[in-house]
Amino acid sequence: MTLRLFDSATRQVTDFVPLVAGEVGIYLCGATVQAPPHIGHMRSSVAFDVLVRWLRRTGHRVTLVRNVTDIDDKILAKAADAGEQWWAWAAINERAFTAAYDALGVLPPSYEPRATGHIPGMVELMERLVERGHAYALDSGDVYFDVASFAEYGALTNQRVEDMVPAPDSAPAGDDKRDDRDFALWKAPKPGEPETASWDTPFGRGRPGWHLECSAMALRYLGESFDIHGGGLDLRFPHHENEQAQSRAAGYGFAGHWLHNGWVTQGGAKMSKSLGNGLLVSTVLANVRPAVLRYAMTAVQYRSMLEWTDATLAEAETTWDRLAGFVERAVEKVGAADDDEVAKVELPAEFVAAMDDDLNVPAALAVVFEHLRAGNSALAARDLDGARSAMVVLRAMLDVLGLDPGSVQWRSKGADERYATALEAVVAAELEARAAARAARDFATSDAIRDRLAAAGIVVEDSPTGARWSLAAP
């Protein structure tokens, strides 16, 4: 079966055919680093991580470009409010995004360009648009894309120009700006903005518009035409519509296929800081294992909305413990499978069909759970060959979803943490019993507890504030 994906431009599920057989170029709109990430930001990175993993599993060489927008109005405003340099503020939040990607097992992109590192390419693209009659410069130094000059404007979102509402951050027509809907390619400095936040161009000093940034970086790393452009559903208009318009007006094919993921919602509303319902990734991970959060964000099909409730993480935790628990029990009985074996094992046809059907993860997980039940039954029947086979295939399927419990990513952050928590509880109980025995002057019991802990490699030291313990040196 051929991979079929929903194209947001045509609004149809179609066969995905790369421009070059066996190679796939993807541009994914990444973070605007104005603040630390909440879980809504992570939805897109996790969803496209599954796509990349599936393409690579099916033999494709994938080039993923995920940009960083490190200069824009909100970054400048929030940096000023915090008393920080804008570039320092952007760097702090970029590191927070990187930490969140790493914690959730999101594979690193092939390239992660920052907007501020690609100003020359943006200027070249802007000059090309002016020369071709699709953009114009004002005396102020602002440069605008002329929406009326491009007949295909609105094609991505199926809108007529006359029905469009200008973007909220778009300046109204006037002072030679021709139309409310014309969008900024280049912005002249505003009073009070730092000198470091602007660059020289033939049109005057200033900084790039958001849309221009992505078109220039996609051109730089993926060429004039590439396979897939992705991002959150909220980016379709105006951002992606404007990207497509300016790139195609410049004479480039740009994206052949558009994919947009659904939002994380609360009470049906999109999760965002502006609504006051954002959950910072760092806050969630202070109380939840990263694998559990990853499972919660992966288990729904990428185009569906993910409604976030109190039960979301509880259900994910229960399911993750079932999956990881089976792998741990199987490894104890039949030994671990190496990564090479997991990578090469044949996947069930039903799982492949589900993933090829527009990345239908819920249907793919149904196949995973069938193998989980079969594996548990094999363990109960002491069918070690059957248990091992189920374990290897289950790990391979979960690897496609970025959730292999046997991988280094989750083994070190899952099982080890659980063992540490269990050890802490057991030792605490033993020390409590020892303290009670000492208080009752039952020194025989007290010494026996201390000797038992020592035999397990745990050193107990008495102090005026109570007993302390540590692991004995190897």
Side-chain angles (χ1 to χ4, degrees):
M1 180 177 176
T2 301
L3 174 61
R4 293 171 60 79
L5 297 170
F6 182 85
D7 188 339
S8 302
T10 63
R11 290 162 290 282
Q12 293 180 340
V13 176
T14 59
D15 290 351
F16 172 65
V17 180
L19 294 172
V20 178
E23 298 186 10
V24 180
I26 303 174
Y27 188 91
L28 174 62
C29 280
T32 298
V33 287
Q34 56 171 300
H38 59 64
I39 59 175
H41 292 127
M42 292 296 105
R43 180 75 199 283
S44 183
S45 58
V46 170
F48 282 89
D49 186 58
V50 172
L51 172 62
V52 169
R53 288 171 181 269
W54 183 236
L55 288 168
R56 288 176 176 164
R57 179 79 192 204
T58 52
H60 295 84
R61 180 178 180 272
V62 180
T63 300
L64 173 66
V65 180
R66 185 184 67 207
N67 74 294
V68 176
T69 298
D70 60 344
I71 178 73
D72 85 334
D73 293 348
K74 291 181 179 179
I75 292 173
L76 295 178
K78 292 191 175 185
D81 290 344
E84 291 275 3
Q85 296 284 355
W86 65 269
W87 41 264
W89 186 255
I92 290 167
N93 290 306
E94 182 181 345
R95 287 195 293 271
F97 270 87
T98 299
Y101 296 140
D102 291 345
L104 293 179
V106 175
L107 298 172
S110 310
Y111 308 105
E112 194 167 23
R114 297 185 184 96
T116 54
H118 295 78
I119 300 298
M122 297 175 201
V123 174
E124 289 177 8
L125 178 56
M126 184 165 53
E127 289 180 313
R128 183 180 177 91
L129 288 168
V130 170
E131 291 169 3
R132 293 169 69 96
H134 293 295
Y136 56 94
L138 304 185
D139 292 340
S140 62
D142 293 323
V143 182
Y144 285 95
F145 183 87
D146 185 352
V147 167
S149 74
F150 187 62
E152 296 177 31
Y153 190 73
L156 177 62
T157 50
N158 196 29
Q159 297 184 82
R160 299 187 305 171
V161 174
E162 55 268 28
D163 296 333
M164 291 181 183
V165 176
D169 62 348
S170 178
D175 295 329
D176 295 328
K177 182 183 177 185
R178 299 171 186 173
D179 189 289
D180 287 348
R181 288 163 286 255
D182 291 350
F183 58 87
L185 300 174
W186 195 255
K187 299 180 178 182
K190 298 183 179 69
E193 289 184 351
E195 177 72 12
T196 54
S198 61
W199 291 261
D200 288 323
T201 78
F203 308 102
R205 195 164 178 83
R207 56 186 169 84
W210 178 29
H211 318 302
L212 183 72
E213 295 174 354
C214 285
S215 284
M217 288 186 282
L219 177 64
R220 168 66 178 80
Y221 291 95
L222 295 172
E224 297 183 5
S225 299
F226 56 94
D227 297 295
I228 295 173
H229 194 313
L233 190 62
D234 52 316
L235 298 180
R236 289 178 67 237
F237 186 85
H239 184 46
H240 289 167
E241 186 73 70
N242 291 350
E243 275 189 72
Q244 176 169 281
Q246 65 197 8
S247 293
R248 293 190 173 172
Y252 306 133
F254 204 53
H257 208 103
W258 287 89
L259 265 64
H260 290 95
N261 60 275
W263 300 328
V264 178
T265 59
Q266 287 182 305
K270 174 179 175 285
M271 182 173 289
S272 67
K273 289 182 176 64
S274 62
L275 294 178
N277 59 358
L279 288 173
L280 291 180
V281 175
S282 58
T283 301
V284 175
L285 292 182
N287 301 295
V288 176
R289 286 170 288 164
V292 172
L293 179 56
R294 166 86 188 209
Y295 183 89
M297 303 193 76
T298 303
V300 295
Q301 203 265 358
Y302 76 96
R303 287 196 290 122
S304 301
M305 299 299 176
L306 171 55
E307 178 65 15
W308 199 264
T309 68
D310 291 341
T312 303
L313 288 175
E315 293 171 359
E317 185 162 26
T318 298
T319 304
W320 174 252
D321 284 342
R322 287 174 59 203
L323 295 166
F326 163 68
V327 172
E328 289 175 25
R329 291 191 303 275
V331 168
E332 289 174 2
K333 298 294 185 182
V334 303
D338 61 36
D339 292 343
D340 189 57
E341 182 180 3
V342 172
K344 291 181 179 178
V345 70
E346 184 176 356
L347 297 172
E350 298 84 359
F351 180 87
V352 173
M355 293 302 295
D356 277 345
D357 182 18
D358 198 26
L359 305 179
N360 189 344
V361 171
L365 282 172
V367 184
V368 171
F369 295 135
E370 288 177 6
H371 281 71
L372 175 64
R373 288 188 290 271
N376 280 325
S377 297
L379 284 177
R382 299 183 180 179
D383 174 7
L384 300 187
D385 288 341
R388 191 176 197 286
S389 176
M391 183 262 288
V392 173
V393 174
L394 180 138
R395 279 192 57 192
M397 290 187 288
L398 289 175
D399 179 63
V400 169
L401 305 179
L403 286 163
D404 173 14
S407 67
V408 173
Q409 173 81 27
W410 304 127
R411 186 170 64 242
S412 60
K413 294 178 174 61
D416 289 355
E417 288 183 2
R418 292 174 62 198
Y419 290 138
T421 301
L423 177 64
E424 185 92 33
V426 169
V427 173
E430 287 281 71
L431 292 180
E432 186 176 340
R434 180 172 177 269
R438 285 165 63 88
R441 304 189 67 78
D442 182 0
F443 296 113
T445 299
S446 171
D447 290 344
I449 293 173
R450 181 170 186 154
D451 292 343
R452 187 161 63 237
L453 290 172
I458 295 168
V459 177
V460 177
E461 296 180 53
D462 293 312
S463 73
T465 58
R468 297 191 299 249
W469 68 274
S470 61
L471 295 177

